Amino acid sequence: MIAFSLRLAVSGGREAVARLLTIVAAVAIGVGLLLSTLASVDAIDRANQRQFWMNTGVKGGTVAAPVDPLRWSARMDYYRGRAVFRAEVAATGPTSPVPPGLSALPSPGEYYASPALAKLLGTTPAVELGDRFPGRLAGTLGDDALPSPDTLAVVVGRTVDEVGALPRATTVTTVATELPAVCDNDCYGAGVHDDALVLVLTVVAGALIFPVLVFIGTATRLSAATREQRYAAMRLVGATPGQVSVISAVESTVAAVVGTVLGFGAYAALRPVVAEVPFTGDRFFAGDVSLSPSQAVGVALAVPLAAALAARFALRRVVISPLGVSRRVTPKPPSPWRLVPLVAGLGELGYFAVNHPATTNAQSAAYLTGFVLVMFGLVIAGPWLTAAAAQAVARRTHRPAALIAMRRLGDDPRAGFRSVAGLVLALFVTTATLSIMSTIDANRSALNGAPEVRKAVVDTPLLGPEKPVLLPAVPDGVVARARAVPGFEGMALLHDNPAGIGASQDGRERIVPALVRCSELAQIPVVGHCAPGAAVAAVDRNGVLDLQAHPDKEWPSAPVSADEVARLPVFIIYATTDDSPAAKEQLRTLFAEEFPSYLARMAEDWSSEGQKKLQGWRQLADVVLLTTLPIAGCSLAVSVVAGLSDRRRPFAMLRLTGAPLRLLRWVVGLESALPLLVVSALAIGTGFAAAAMFLESQMHYDLVSPGLTYYGLTAFGLAASLGIIASTLPLLRRITGPEAARNG
C-alpha cells in the first residue's frame, strides 16, 4: 500500500509534482526558521553562562573552597560607547583560583585582554585606551571567558596591596559559575536573563513560526478538491477508510520528510548568518548557534507527524462518507463563538498588563501564549468576519460580479478567508513588532543626552559597600596635562561639602550640594552659572550628573571663600571638550591612570548598553518583516491559484452559460479582496492593542506611533497583495475552457 501510495503521489503529472514541490518548499522554510529560532535562544543561554565568572565577588555569587585566596576587584569601563569589563586580580598563593579563559593568573605588570580588545589596543593610540592598563599585554582571553567575539574584557595583574586599595575589592576562593540570586547593580555578567530582550525574542519566535504554519497548511491544500474526488472514487470501488488514510498520509508525509531534510540544510546555511545578527547587541560565536539533540530529534519527528495528522484531518469527509464529496451542500455557517479565542488572547494580555508576572519565565510564558492566542484567534475569527462582511455587502449591491462573489463567500467563508490568512497574520506581526520597536526607540533615545552634555567627561568615585574615599586634591600637573589635550575646552572641580552648606530637605532625604568655584564653573556653562558677584556656588550633584543641559540655571551662592573650597576633597571632576572622540577618550584615560578609584563617564556610556540592545531589537524587527511578508505573499499566491484550480469546473460552467471572462475576474478579485481588507483592519487594530498592553506590562511605556515606515510597509503590503491577486487572473482563460466543464 505504501509503494502504491508513492506512485499515486506523482502520477498526476506536472500538477501533482508542482504541489509536492510547493509543500516541500513550505516545510523547508518553516523548519529552517524554527531551527534557527531555537538555536538563537540556545545561543543566548550559552553566551550568558560564559560571562557568569564576571560576577565573582558579588554577594551570593561565589562559594568557599580550601585554596589560596584571590584578591579581586571588578568594574565596567567604557571606550567610545562600548563597555569594557575590567577585573584586577592578585594571587595570594599557588592555588588561587583562575578565571576561565586563562591558564594562569597574570603577574603584577601584566594583563590579558579579549581578542577584540587586543585588536583595539593595537589600532588605538595608547593615550586614548592602552594607558589605562598598567604593564604589558601578556596574551588574550580564551573564548570560554567571552559571551561574544565582540566582547571587550581585560584581566589585570596587581599586587595584593594594589587590589586592596581599589573600590569593591574583595577576597574569594572560587570564581563565580552562576548568576547570583540578587544583583544590586554590581553583576557584570548578568546576561539578558532579566531583560525584555528575552521576552521580545520569545514573542518574535511565535510571530515567525505562525505564518509559516499557515503557509504549510495552505500548500497542503493545493488541488484539495481533485484529491478528495480521487479518494472518494477509491472508497466507492471498495477502498477502506484505513487504506485511504494511508495513501493520504504517505503523500503528505513524504513531502514533509523531504522538506524537513531540506529545512535542516537551510538551518545549516543560516547558522553563520544568525551568528552575525547582534540580537543581544553583540554577535554570537558560530559554535553557540546550535541545537540540542532533543530539539533536533523533536523537530525531525514532529513535522512529518503533523503533516500526516493534517492530511488525515483534511480528508475526514471522504473517510466518513465518500458521497459527501460529490453531493456538495452549503457548509454550516461560522458562528460568533469564533471570536472567543481572539477576545481571550487580548484579555490575557490585558490581565498581565495590570498583574505583571514576577519571573522572566512566567513573563515569557504569559506573553508568548497571549500573542499566539491572538494570532490563533485571528485565524479562527476570520471566516466569521468574512461571512458577516459578505452579507453586509450583498445587501447593498446589485452588480452581478459582487452578488456572485458575496454569495460564494457567504456559502464558504472559510475558503475565502483561507487565501488571505497568511497576510493577515503578517500584518498583525508587523503592526505589533514595529509598534513595540518604535516605542522603545522613542523612550530610550532620550538616554543619549543633550548635545552639549555629550561633549563632557565626568569623573566620579566608584561606589561600593563602603563610603567612597574622595580625592584630597587634583594635582596641578594633572590639570596641566588635561588642558594640553587637543580639543579640551574647560574643567571644573566640584568639592565635597562636609559642613552641609546650602543643604535642603526633600522628605526624609537631606540634599547636600557640591561646592564649586565660580571661576571654574564659568568654564563649563552647560551645567549653569553663578549668581552675579558670587565666588562659590552650591550645585546640586544630581543636576550636574543628569543628561540634560542647564545653561540658564543660576546656582545659589555659598557663604564660603574660594580658597576654603579649594582645600576641600574633590567629589567630581567635570571636563568639557569640542566633542571629538579622541579628546574625550584621552581625558578619560588620563583620569583612569591618575585616579584608579574613580570612574570617568560620558553621556554615551549611560546609553551604550541600552542602545546595543535596542539595535538588537531593530535587527529582530527586520528579521520579522523580511520573513513574514514574503511568506505571506507566497501563501496568498498559492491560495488563490489553488482556489482557481479547485473551482475551474464551476467557472467553466458560468462561461458556457454566457458569463464574460471579465465578470469572472471581478468575482475572483472581490472574493479575495473583501476578506483581505476586512480582516486586515481587525489585525492592524489588534496589533496596536497587543503592543500597547505588552509595553505597559513589561516596560511601563505608552504606545508611540510606529511612524512612516510602518504605514508605508502596510500600504505596500496591501497593494502588493492586491497585485498578487490580479496576477493570477489571467489563469482564468486557460483553466475555464469548455473541456473543464466535462464530468470526470
Side-chain angles (χ1 to χ4, degrees), residues 63 79 91 347 357 472 530 628:
V63 296
Y79 175 77
C530 291
T628 55

Side-chain angles (χ1 to χ4, degrees), residues 221 223-232 235 241 244-249 251-252 308-322 325:
R221 293 192 60 85
S223 304
T226 302
R227 283 184 294 145
E228 283 184 345
Q229 292 175 356
R230 183 174 64 186
Y231 295 147
R235 288 277 283 116
V244 172
S245 297
V246 169
I247 293 172
S248 172
E251 185 179 19
S252 298
L309 293 176
R312 175 67 179 82
F313 180 77
L315 294 174
R316 60 193 183 280
R317 290 190 308 165
V318 176
V319 174
I320 296 172
S321 174
V325 176

Side-chain angles (χ1 to χ4, degrees), residues 581-658:
K584 291 187 290 186
E585 294 302 338
Q586 196 166 336
L587 283 173
R588 192 207 303 261
T589 301
L590 170 62
F591 294 154
E593 184 181 4
E594 295 291 337
F595 314 122
S597 62
Y598 276 48
L599 179 63
R601 300 294 299 268
M602 307 177 198
E604 61 194 66
D605 300 338
W606 299 105
S607 62
S608 61
E609 292 301 310
Q611 289 298 322
K612 278 174 53 179
K613 291 168 184 174
L614 184 58
Q615 179 62 28
W617 289 331
R618 293 192 188 104
Q619 293 279 359
L620 284 176
D622 293 340
V623 170
V624 171
L625 298 180
L626 294 176
T627 302
T628 55
L629 290 178
I631 289 176
C634 294
S635 179
L636 177 61
V638 170
S639 296
V640 175
V641 171
L644 291 178
S645 177
D646 290 342
R647 293 176 292 175
R648 57 180 151 188
R649 188 168 182 271
F651 282 157
M653 297 294 293
L654 284 173
R655 286 195 66 187
L656 287 178
T657 58

Side-chain angles (χ1 to χ4, degrees), residues 20-392:
L20 290 176
L21 291 177
T22 303
I23 296 175
V24 167
V27 173
I29 293 172
V31 170
L33 288 174
L34 175 60
L35 295 177
S36 298
T37 302
L38 293 175
S40 298
V41 175
D42 289 348
I44 292 177
D45 287 336
R46 295 186 183 99
N48 286 341
Q49 293 170 8
R50 280 205 306 275
Q51 58 186 313
F52 287 158
W53 69 276
M54 300 178 183
N55 301 315
T56 300
V58 176
K59 184 179 180 181
T62 54
V63 296
V67 298
D68 294 322
L70 173 71
R71 294 293 285 165
W72 172 282
S73 177
R75 70 171 76 183
M76 195 64 75
D77 202 350
Y78 293 87
Y79 175 77
R80 298 201 178 187
R82 297 180 63 185
V84 182
F85 173 76
R86 175 174 178 168
E88 321 262 355
V89 298
T92 62
T95 62
S96 293
V98 179
L102 293 173
S103 58
L105 290 169
S107 301
E110 294 181 343
Y111 61 88
Y112 288 81
S114 64
L117 180 57
K119 181 179 179 181
L120 197 60
L121 289 169
T123 57
T124 304
V127 293
E128 295 182 23
L129 181 60
D131 288 346
R132 303 180 197 179
F133 314 123
R136 65 179 183 87
L137 177 64
T140 58
L141 296 172
D143 291 349
D144 55 338
L146 307 172
S148 165
D150 299 326
T151 299
L152 303 181
V154 61
V155 178
V156 181
R158 295 274 198 173
T159 66
V160 172
D161 292 338
E162 287 174 338
V163 175
L166 295 173
R168 302 179 183 176
T170 186
T171 301
V172 299
T173 54
T174 58
V175 174
T177 57
E178 60 184 17
L179 185 69
V182 179
C183 287
D184 295 328
N185 298 320
D186 53 1
C187 286
Y188 302 114
V192 295
H193 283 287
D194 299 316
D195 193 86
L197 176 59
V198 172
L199 307 176
V200 175
L201 185 62
T202 303
V203 172
V204 166
L208 280 173
I209 300 305
F210 214 85
V212 174
L213 295 178
V214 171
F215 182 31
I216 294 174
T218 299
T220 57
R221 293 192 60 85
L222 278 172
S223 304
T226 302
R227 283 184 294 145
E228 283 184 345
Q229 292 175 356
R230 183 174 64 186
Y231 295 147
M234 291 181 185
R235 288 277 283 116
L236 290 173
V237 298
T240 65
Q243 289 173 327
V244 172
S245 297
V246 169
I247 293 172
S248 172
V250 167
E251 185 179 19
S252 298
T253 303
V254 167
V257 168
V258 176
T260 301
V261 172
L262 294 178
F264 272 87
Y267 156 70
L270 287 172
R271 280 187 65 195
V273 178
V274 173
E276 293 294 319
V277 178
F279 292 124
T280 61
D282 290 319
R283 297 175 298 156
F284 294 125
F285 285 110
D288 286 348
V289 185
S290 59
L291 299 168
S292 67
S294 60
Q295 289 173 330
V297 172
V299 172
L301 295 179
V303 173
L305 178 62
L309 293 176
R312 175 67 179 82
F313 180 77
L315 294 174
R316 60 193 183 280
R317 290 190 308 165
V318 176
V319 174
I320 296 172
S321 174
L323 294 176
V325 176
S326 300
R327 299 173 180 175
R328 300 283 180 176
V329 295
T330 301
K332 183 179 179 180
S335 69
W337 287 105
R338 284 177 167 264
L339 295 173
V340 171
L342 178 61
V343 175
L346 292 173
E348 179 181 348
L349 291 175
Y351 172 81
F352 288 115
V354 178
N355 302 277
H356 184 70
T359 66
T360 301
N361 289 336
Q363 294 165 20
S364 298
Y367 300 129
L368 178 60
T369 55
F371 273 82
V372 170
L373 190 57
V374 169
M375 289 188 284
F376 181 73
L378 286 171
V379 174
I380 296 299
W384 181 82
L385 292 169
T386 299
Q391 293 173 3

Side-chain angles (χ1 to χ4, degrees), residues 515-533:
L515 302 177
V516 59
R517 292 185 291 182
C518 290
S519 60
E520 294 179 357
L521 186 61
Q523 299 179 37
I524 55 169
V526 63
V527 301
H529 58 85
C530 291

